[in-house]
Each structure stands twice: as structure tokens, then as C-alpha cells.
Amino acid sequence: MISIVGILIVFGAIIGGYLMEHGNLHVLIQPAELLIIFGSAVGTVVVANPLPIIIRIGQGLVAVFTGGPYTKALYLENLKMIYELYNYARKAGTAKLEEDVDNPSKSAIFSKYPKFLKFHHAADFLCDTLRMAVSGGVEAHDIDQMMDVDLEVHHRESGTPISALSTMADALPGLGIVAAVLGIVITMGALGGPKEEIGHKVASALVGTFLGILLCYGVFGPLAAAMTKQNDAEANYFGFLRMAAVAFVKGLSPIMAVELARRSIPSTVRPSFKETEAACRGGGQVASKAA
């Protein structure tokens, strides 16, 4: 929602200032110029990227406008899940834990946390790591290195849609010039006609340059930056899961594993120690209150 507000502020400030200078708003409404600029920009994205990346660009934009899922309530719920999972492993043994990580959707513990299971890559990341830990014969530093490689690959893949959108934004001013040149070509064909008509065509051509620059620096450039922050939030979430897995591999107690994972959460969404303790040892009402 904040991104929508920001875009409205951009357009409101520009249009408001233009009207204060007694500009004619009707002149700025040029559907043909917008079609040339935006349509060709979308075409460059389609040419340069395979379909999965194009789909992920759309998903990233939806996440920007709807808000990311990595909230304080989600982290608190995951901390409770980790405590319950590790406590179960300590009491029932690693053999029982292996059954849960092999089929998390059928696990009595994981099935209580459907939000976590919806993050398929995150669920696979944690369960695959725990599976390697309980199978034995793998050193702790080897598991940590394995997680580091997984996170590096995931972060690189997550950055590809952002790079594609940034490239599109960078192309918009140039495409605006293309639209302006086409407008000048049309204007040249109208020479000798009424001055008002020539002036209108020149204004339309200049609007093409205006729209290209505006869409670049006022809309799609900031959207790419917002997607970068969403990507960073996702990376922080995976870092949180990594610390939780490292704590298990090192054999820490469930509450110590939870505290180690809690300390890795960004401060803006980090639950307090008391909130975490109440969620892990108190009941299921705390996570909903943290929202």
C-alpha cells in the first residue's frame, strides 16, 4: 500500500505543479505516445527474458503493492514452530524427527503452520538441512557450507527479475525519445498547415519524452528498488532459518536454538524475548497479538 501512496504522490506533485502554472491537462493525455513507450518497453522485457522470469517480475510487483509476508507475526510463529520441533526431537529422538522432515505436509508439527509450508523453498531448505543433520556422518561446518551455497543460488535467482525490471526502467527515457522523434516526423508532414495544429503536434511529441522520463524515474525505477528491498527481506528470512538449523546441528537446547534464531531477525520485525518465550512456552495466542 505504501508503494501505491508513493506513486500517487509523484503524479500528484507533477500534475499539481503543472496546473499551478496554468497548464492544459488535456495536452498530457496522449494514449498513442504511452502505447509506443510502454508497449515497446514491455517488448524489450519479453525479448530479453524467458517466461519464468517474466512471471516472477509480475509476482514481485504484486508483492510490492500488497506488502511482504515477512512480518513480526510470521517470525514469532516460526520461532514457536522451531521450539516445538526441536523439543520434540529431543524427547522422541532424531528418528522421529526424520519422519517429520521427510514428509512435512503430513507432519503433526509442520501441519500446524500452513504459512511456513506455503513457502516451498523455505520449507525444503529447512527440512533438507535437518534431514542431512539427523542422517549422521556430516560435519557441522559442511552443513553450514551447504546452506551457504543454497542461499547464494537462491539470492542470485531472486535478483534476476529485479535486474530485468531495472533494465526496462533504464530503457524508458530512450523509448520516450523514439516516441518524440515519431511525433516530430508527423509534425514535419503538417508544415504549411494551421499554426495551432503544428503546435499541438509538437506538444504531443514532447509529451513522449516527458512520459519516458517520468515512467523511468517516477514509477518503474522506484518499483525495482522496492523489489530489491523485498528480496532483502526474503534473504533475511532464509538467514533466520539458517541460524535455526545451525543451532540444531550444534546440539543446542531448543530454547537456545530459538534465541539464536531470534537474534538473527532484523530489529524492525524482531519479537522481544518475552514475546518469544510466551509464544514458545505459553500458547498460540501470542502470534496473533504480534500482528
Side-chain angles (χ1 to χ4, degrees):
M1 182 60 68
I2 191 67
S3 297
I4 297 176
V5 173
I7 291 175
L8 290 177
I9 292 174
V10 170
F11 279 92
I14 291 172
I15 294 174
Y18 180 72
L19 292 176
M20 288 175 65
E21 293 293 333
H22 308 290
N24 184 358
L25 193 60
H26 180 71
V27 176
L28 299 181
I29 303 175
Q30 301 293 336
E33 299 286 328
L34 185 61
L35 175 62
I36 293 171
I37 298 167
F38 185 68
S40 56
V42 172
T44 61
V45 174
V46 174
V47 169
N49 299 279
L51 183 60
I53 293 180
I54 296 173
I55 294 174
R56 290 172 65 184
I57 292 175
Q59 293 172 340
L61 291 174
V62 170
V64 167
F65 288 121
T66 58
Y70 306 107
T71 61
K72 182 178 180 180
L74 176 70
Y75 276 112
L76 193 58
E77 183 179 274
N78 279 203
L79 287 169
K80 184 185 178 192
M81 178 192 72
I82 290 167
Y83 176 79
E84 187 175 346
L85 186 67
Y86 291 179
N87 202 37
Y88 171 76
R90 171 163 287 199
K91 292 178 179 179
T94 56
K96 289 292 185 180
L97 178 64
E98 189 170 8
E99 296 177 5
D100 286 81
V101 297
D102 280 340
N103 295 290
S105 59
K106 299 180 180 178
S107 165
I109 297 176
F110 284 118
S111 59
K112 293 192 292 186
Y113 303 95
K115 289 183 181 179
F116 175 74
L117 294 178
K118 282 176 60 179
F119 302 142
H120 299 295
H121 188 80
D124 291 341
F125 175 74
L126 180 62
C127 291
D128 290 348
T129 302
L130 296 180
R131 187 181 296 110
M132 292 296 297
V134 300
S135 64
V138 184
E139 298 292 334
H141 70 273
D142 291 329
I143 293 179
D144 190 39
Q145 184 178 14
M146 179 180 61
M147 287 189 291
D148 187 51
V149 171
D150 195 348
L151 292 180
E152 182 181 350
V153 172
H154 180 70
H155 189 68
R156 185 167 60 246
E157 290 178 347
S158 299
T160 305
I162 300 172
S163 177
L165 187 63
S166 297
T167 302
M168 171 183 160
D170 292 339
L172 282 167
L175 295 173
I177 295 174
V178 171
V181 170
L182 292 176
I184 295 299
V185 170
I186 296 174
T187 303
M188 297 300 291
L191 290 179
K195 293 181 180 180
E196 294 79 6
E197 182 181 352
I198 295 175
H200 178 73
K201 292 184 182 299
V202 171
S204 299
L206 292 176
V207 167
T209 303
F210 159 73
L211 287 175
I213 296 173
L214 173 62
L215 291 176
C216 172
Y217 297 107
V219 180
F220 290 101
L223 285 176
M227 284 178 60
T228 300
K229 293 178 176 60
Q230 291 282 350
N231 192 24
D232 292 341
E234 183 181 47
N236 291 332
Y237 179 68
F238 276 92
F240 155 77
L241 294 177
R242 177 184 181 179
M243 294 309 298
V246 166
F248 178 82
V249 173
K250 289 183 177 181
L252 300 181
S253 65
I255 195 63
M256 278 298 297
V258 165
E259 180 60 14
L260 182 63
R262 187 187 73 86
R263 296 292 181 95
S264 68
I265 301 173
S267 59
T268 53
V269 290
R270 181 191 299 168
S272 68
F273 180 85
K274 290 184 178 179
E275 288 174 329
T276 304
E277 188 175 37
C280 294
R281 294 177 171 173
Q285 301 299 322
V286 181
S288 59
K289 292 180 181 179

